[in-house]
Each structure stands twice: as structure tokens, then as C-alpha cells.
Amino acid sequence: MRIVLLGAPGSGKGTQGQRLMQHLRIPQISTGDLLREAVARETELGRRAQADMHAGRLVADEIVIEMIHQRLAQPDTTAGFILDGFPRTRPQAAALDVLLEKIRQPLDKVVNLDVPDAEIISRLLARGRVDDTEATIRKRLEVYAQQTRPLLDYYRAEGKLAIVPGVGLVNEIFDRIIAAL
Ligand code: B4P
């Protein structure tokens, strides 16, 4: 099964991605986690990404596309994968289509976690990661609305989109995702 988890920052992609990984026994691939790992290891890529992440901007398409390219070439992805936080822009979605077409592994489903902005702001302020200040959260929500939300139409047109209400208990939301798959 090849799944994309879409949704605003803090909508629970990482939380639900972890559960899906355990349930479906396929890897969860989070561009946010990969980028934070690169920042922590102080790699060249991490140095380039850090300022954008802390300001709530998206990291350059070419960086994340190359990261996904390398990750999907690993042998553990042949039975499927959960993409968490990628794609986030139209160029990323187009690059993913090309890549998956080449390896003849089309996406099965795109799940969008739907959460109101007020709930997102309170969740992220409570989480308190380094990019979870109020100003950065507001910037991330603005970037989401401009660059990522249009992907809903892109995947709706392909007949792959499922919209799942993302408010409630983590277990309840997980059950909704499984039902949507
Ligand atoms: P990400 O790491 O993708 O992080 P996120 O959007 O903030 O979080 P997510 O939706 O996974 O929420 P989570 O489950 O953690 O992105 C961080 C940054 O990396 C971006 O701003 C960008 O700069 C960069 N980046 C990543 N991918 C990129 C790409 N493709 N292109 C360019 N740049 C990219 O949940 C959040 C909180 O809510 C947690 O504390 C959790 O415990 C809580 N929570 C979860 N479910 C809940 C529930 N049901 N009820 C209450 N709380 C809940």
C-alpha cells in the first residue's frame, strides 16, 4: 500500500503515520524527520534547511525531492510506504508522480487530516518544538494554505483523496483513516 498523509502543520500526520507504520508494516517516511535529522547532524543539507524550518518556510523543492528520491530507492519500500509531509507543493507532487511512474508503483490513497487552525495553534504551542512559536506556526499555516492546500484538488481529480476529520482521540482518528483506506 502506498499512502500520502496530507494536512496542515500539526494536523497529526506524524502521530498517525507512526501508527499506520506499525499496523501496515510498511515504512513511514517523514520529510520533517529527515530534515530535522540532517540539521542535528549538521550536514550541508541540514545547514541549508535550518533557517527555512525555523522561520516556518518550506525547504527548497530540490532538496526534499532529492531526499525522497534517495529514500524511495531503499529496499524496504518495495511492499509500500507512508509519505508523511511530502508532497507539500505542486512541483513536489509532480516529481513524485514521475518517480512512482518510473518504478510502476502508483499511489493508492491520499489522506488529508482536516483540523481547524485554532486547534492546530494550541496543539503546537503545547508541543513546544523549536519551530513551534506562535509567529512560526502562523507562517506555517499561511504557507500551507498557499502551497499545500491546492494539492487537495490535484489528488481529488485523480480520485485518490480521502478527507478525514482530524480532531478527537488519536485512536478514533486512526480508525477513521483505516476505514478510508
Ligand atoms: P513536519 O515535520 O512535517 O511537521 P508538522 O507539519 O509540524 O507536524 P505533523 O502534522 O506531523 O503533526 P504531529 O503528528 O507531530 O514539518 C516541519 C517543517 O519541515 C516544515 O515547516 C518545513 O519547513 C519542513 N518540511 C517538511 N517537509 C517538507 C517538504 N515536503 N517540503 C518542504 N519543507 C518541508 O502532531 C502535532 C502535535 O499535535 C503533537 O504534539 C501531537 O502529539 C499532537 N496531536 C496529534 N494528534 C492529536 C490529537 N488527535 N489530539 C490532540 N493532539 C494531537
Side-chain angles (χ1 to χ4, degrees):
M1 187 127 214
R2 291 170 294 275
I3 305 164
V4 164
L5 289 180
L6 274 183
S11 56
K13 303 181 294 291
T15 304
Q16 298 297 336
Q18 282 284 325
R19 301 207 161 208
L20 282 170
M21 172 174 75
Q22 284 155 12
H23 184 78
L24 299 172
R25 297 176 191 283
I26 51 178
Q28 171 206 19
I29 300 174
S30 158
T31 39
D33 287 347
L34 291 171
L35 288 166
R36 279 184 289 277
E37 209 179 287
V39 170
R41 294 201 341 259
E42 299 184 356
T43 63
E44 171 60 24
L45 189 154
R47 274 192 287 274
R48 285 177 64 191
Q50 189 169 28
D52 284 331
M53 293 176 79
H54 287 187
R57 295 186 298 262
L58 293 180
V59 173
D61 283 335
E62 72 264 21
I63 293 184
V64 278
I65 289 169
E66 178 53 26
M67 244 168 43
I68 285 292
H69 202 275
Q70 287 180 17
R71 184 61 187 89
L72 290 181
Q74 302 296 312
D76 64 337
T77 62
T78 48
F81 48 80
I82 302 147
L83 289 179
D84 153 12
F86 181 93
R88 261 176 155 98
T89 65
R90 278 196 180 262
Q92 291 180 21
L96 181 64
D97 278 351
V98 170
L99 189 64
L100 296 183
E101 205 167 298
K102 214 184 284 173
I103 56 176
R104 295 185 194 284
Q105 296 203 350
L107 288 175
D108 294 302
K109 207 82 190 172
V110 176
V111 175
N112 184 68
L113 292 170
D114 196 22
V115 179
D117 284 4
E119 165 80 12
I120 282 175
I121 292 168
S122 74
R123 276 187 197 179
L124 293 184
L125 286 176
R127 181 172 67 179
R129 207 168 66 194
V130 65
D131 57 341
D132 287 337
T133 64
E134 184 147 4
T136 304
I137 296 165
R138 289 197 184 279
K139 177 68 186 169
R140 283 157 69 196
L141 284 171
E142 193 187 304
V143 167
Y144 169 77
Q146 282 169 359
Q147 301 198 54
T148 309
R149 199 180 286 141
L151 296 184
L152 297 184
D153 287 338
Y154 184 88
Y155 288 118
R156 192 179 284 115
E158 289 188 0
K160 292 185 175 170
L161 182 68
I163 305 253
V164 170
V167 179
L169 296 175
V170 170
N171 283 344
E172 288 169 0
I173 298 164
F174 179 73
D175 290 343
R176 287 177 206 148
I177 295 175
I178 294 296
L181 295 177

